Structure formats: C-alpha cells, structure tokens
Amino acid sequence: MGADLEKVLIAKEDIDAKLVELAAEIDRDYAGKDLLIVGVLKGAVMVMADLARALSSNVTMDWMAVSSYGAGTKSSGVVRILKDLDTDIAGRHVLIVEDIIDSGLTLSWLISNLGSRGPASLEVCTLLRKPDAAKVRIDVKYTGFDIPNEFVVGYGLDYSEKYRNLPFVGTLAPHVYGG
Ligand code: PRP
Ligand code: MN
Ligand code: MG
C-alpha cells in the first residue's frame, strides 16, 4: 500500500458494486429522458468513467473545472470557472457527478450557477460525502458512501495532485500532510 497511506477505507470492489447500484437507480429515474452527466474536474474523473460505463441508458457527458479562490483557503465558497460546459443546459436533465462533498461549498455554488441556466432538472451524484464536515446543506439524490471526517485520497481524490490514480479510497498517514 505504501508508507504514505494509512489504510484502505473503501476497496475497489466496494466502489464498483456501489456504482452499479447507483447506475441502476439513475437508469430507472431517467428512463425515457435524455440525461446529461456533468463531471467536476479533476476529482470526478474516475467516478464519471466508471458510473457512465455502468449505465445502460445512453447519456451525454460534459465537464466543468472550477477553482476556489480568495484568502488561499480551499473552500472559500467563492468559485471561479476554469472550464465551462460546452453544452447549453437549458431544458436539459442534468446530473452533476462529484467524487466527494466535503464542506459542500463547491457544489452549493455549482448548483446555483447551473440552476440559473434553466435546466429541466438538476440533481447531484457523489461517491463520497463527509456529513461531519458540511458547512451548507445540499440535497444529494445519489450518494455512494458517508465517510468520517478524515483526509482521504485515491480514486480521483488528491493530496497536492498526488494519489488520484489509486484504484481505492484510502486515508493518508498524518506524517504526509504534517499531522
Ligand atoms: C475537491 C473535490 C470536490 C471538492 C469538495 O475538489 O473533488 O470537488 O473539493 O470540497 P467542498 O465540498 O469542501 O467544496 P478540489 O477543489 O480539490 O479540486 P480537484 O477536483 O481538482 O481535486
Ligand atoms: Mn473536485
Ligand atoms: Mg483536490
């Protein structure tokens, strides 16, 4: 596993099984509708790739890249668009796909931003959620796992851009981030 990692929190098999479950729900809920799934770069890359392949319905995919800025702190809630959607979402059924909801500030901003563009519907799917870290309440239609408020990496999630390619979600050893 490597000295930087403390433990595996969610194994690859459990992620795969959960995404198959979520995909079945999504297939059912959007049956007969055109669905656009929107991945939030970069963390959501793995979830998008595996969730999309678990769906039986035909969906279209688009991507957004956003960044918090302001007093240097991560989730200031003030968000800047680094890459906008290529798609006009007016009248479309849109599902935002995230790897994790931590404070919820990024997603809360995204929901109001995309919501103002007149989608037919707007929902959220996240693999992970940290209920104890939430600063704002967000209605999440599809949640994979609620996890404790620990520093997690892997399966898209990074620490200083590292560890995204791990096939599982693990916790980082405190010595790595100075804990
Ligand atoms: C991470 C994660 C979520 C967001 C959650 O993205 O992928 O998008 O933070 O945090 P919040 O709920 O506190 O707002 P990050 O900004 O690190 O960018 P990345 O996806 O490129 O890693
Ligand atoms: Mn992200
Ligand atoms: Mg990150």
Side-chain angles (χ1 to χ4, degrees):
M1 183 158 54
D4 290 351
L5 292 169
E6 197 169 53
K7 63 170 186 286
V8 175
L9 192 67
I10 308 172
K12 180 183 187 301
E13 298 70 42
D14 298 326
I15 296 173
D16 291 346
K18 184 64 77 174
L19 290 179
V20 166
E21 263 177 52
L22 292 178
E25 278 183 55
I26 293 167
D27 276 332
R28 196 172 346 107
D29 294 349
Y30 291 91
K33 290 176 178 156
D34 257 342
L35 177 62
L36 171 71
I37 57 176
V38 170
V40 185
L41 294 168
K42 308 173 195 155
V45 165
M46 308 297 178
V47 189
M48 278 285 276
D50 288 339
L51 179 73
R53 281 179 289 185
L55 291 167
S56 354
S57 4
N58 228 326
V59 297
T60 45
M61 298 166 83
D62 203 347
W63 303 89
M64 227 169 138
V66 295
S67 148
S68 296
Y69 70 95
T73 46
K74 188 180 150 299
S75 287
S76 57
V78 185
V79 174
R80 194 160 50 103
I81 297 177
L82 302 178
K83 186 225 167 280
D84 206 339
L85 298 175
D86 298 331
T87 319
D88 176 4
I89 61 168
R92 302 288 309 273
H93 293 286
V94 177
L95 178 63
I96 304 173
V97 177
E98 262 290 29
D99 51 334
I100 188 167
I101 302 176
D102 204 311
S103 70
L105 292 170
T106 304
L107 203 46
S108 156
W109 183 91
L110 256 180
I111 289 169
S112 76
N113 183 286
L114 297 188
S116 72
R117 306 183 192 190
S121 68
L122 181 61
E123 300 290 353
V124 174
C125 175
T126 186
L127 179 68
L128 307 172
R129 182 172 57 175
K130 285 186 184 173
D132 298 338
K135 289 194 180 141
V136 282
R137 221 193 75 83
I138 294 175
D139 265 329
V140 184
K141 190 154 187 198
Y142 310 98
T143 305
F145 303 92
D146 280 330
I147 61 168
N149 198 0
E150 293 179 83
F151 204 106
V152 289
V153 295
Y155 201 73
L157 291 127
D158 72 303
Y159 171 64
S160 291
E161 298 299 327
K162 288 171 69 184
Y163 311 107
R164 290 194 201 272
N165 63 306
L166 295 174
F168 55 86
V169 174
T171 56
L172 209 52
H175 75 83
V176 181
Y177 56 92

